[in-house]
Amino acid sequence: PFARAYKMAMESPDTMIYSIFKLPNREQLFKWIPVQGFAIEMFLFKPRFRTDIQVLTLDDVKEYVVGVTRDTSTHHHLLSQGFVEHVNLLPLASEEQNILMTRPGVERTDFATGDGLSLARWLGKAGMAPDYLEKVLFLFKEDVYLAFGLETSDRIVERVRKALSEITADGTVQAIIERNYQLQSEPAQ
């Protein structure tokens, strides 16, 4: 789960977490390396079969239950927008669980959160149709980073920074992104 990986990266030397957003409350907790040219847009999604859900604004969404991966930037963003845990916000262990809680017959949540590309991967792993989810509202866009806990030596961080720079320059990073994200079919809009 993200919360466990986050804690491990923050507290354990020589441990890195990726991909992660560099938020103001996290800035002093890690040593950061940006992944140049890679940003993620986060959205609210609803199951396509839920034709009863009609919302125009984030305030409208507060009448429903939103599933969110625990301790992620999206979790903290929604809390800052007035969502309340276990009232209209349900923190979950993973994006996969976030999707599964919206299934017919389960319906513990009305919305899932995430970026379309990674949600498409989780839908595939769960054996669900790529168009199961429908984008409803844009939440935010953030650059992607690698992060090391403060106990990690600067030497290791610099080695990784240099290696990332080299594989970015030769096109390897872009190929990885395309292979793992953009070639997956994104949930329909």
Side-chain angles (χ1 to χ4, degrees), residues 11-178:
E11 296 174 353
S12 304
D14 305 333
T15 304
M16 178 183 77
I17 187 170
Y18 68 94
S19 57
I20 187 170
F21 299 142
K22 185 178 181 181
L23 304 176
N25 64 323
R26 295 177 177 169
E27 197 159 344
Q28 302 302 316
L29 302 176
F30 295 98
K31 296 178 181 182
W32 298 92
I33 301 174
V35 179
Q36 298 298 325
F38 190 34
I40 302 274
E41 292 182 340
M42 302 302 285
F43 292 90
L44 283 173
F45 292 85
K46 73 176 182 102
R48 193 168 295 285
F49 77 91
R50 291 293 306 273
T51 57
D52 60 307
I53 297 175
Q54 300 296 323
V55 297
L56 297 174
T57 68
L58 198 54
D59 279 337
D60 295 340
V61 176
K62 290 177 183 173
E63 300 300 316
Y64 298 92
V65 178
V66 177
V68 65
T69 305
R70 183 182 321 282
D71 286 334
T72 60
S73 56
T74 309
H75 182 188
H76 295 288
H77 174 76
L78 291 173
L79 288 171
S80 77
Q81 298 299 308
F83 283 79
V84 178
E85 287 185 9
H86 306 291
V87 174
N88 54 13
L89 187 64
L90 182 60
L92 300 162
S94 67
E95 283 187 326
E96 182 177 25
Q97 191 179 33
N98 194 349
I99 294 168
L100 295 176
M101 291 295 167
T102 67
R103 288 181 308 177
V106 176
E107 298 175 47
R108 292 207 37 222
T109 60
D110 304 300
F111 291 92
T113 57
D115 69 277
L117 300 172
S118 64
L119 286 178
R121 291 185 74 205
W122 285 112
L123 285 167
K125 287 181 185 244
M128 298 170 78
D131 66 346
Y132 173 77
L133 293 173
E134 172 184 339
K135 275 185 194 173
V136 176
L137 287 173
F138 172 80
L139 294 174
F140 60 88
K141 181 177 181 176
E142 289 287 338
D143 292 326
V144 173
Y145 288 81
L146 312 178
F148 291 88
L150 299 176
E151 298 299 315
T152 300
S153 76
D154 290 340
R155 183 182 58 77
I156 290 174
V157 175
E158 286 311 309
R159 280 182 61 197
V160 172
R161 185 184 316 275
K162 183 178 183 230
L164 180 62
S165 179
E166 289 171 3
I167 65 172
T168 298
D170 74 11
T172 301
V173 170
Q174 187 61 36
I176 291 169
I177 291 167
E178 288 174 7

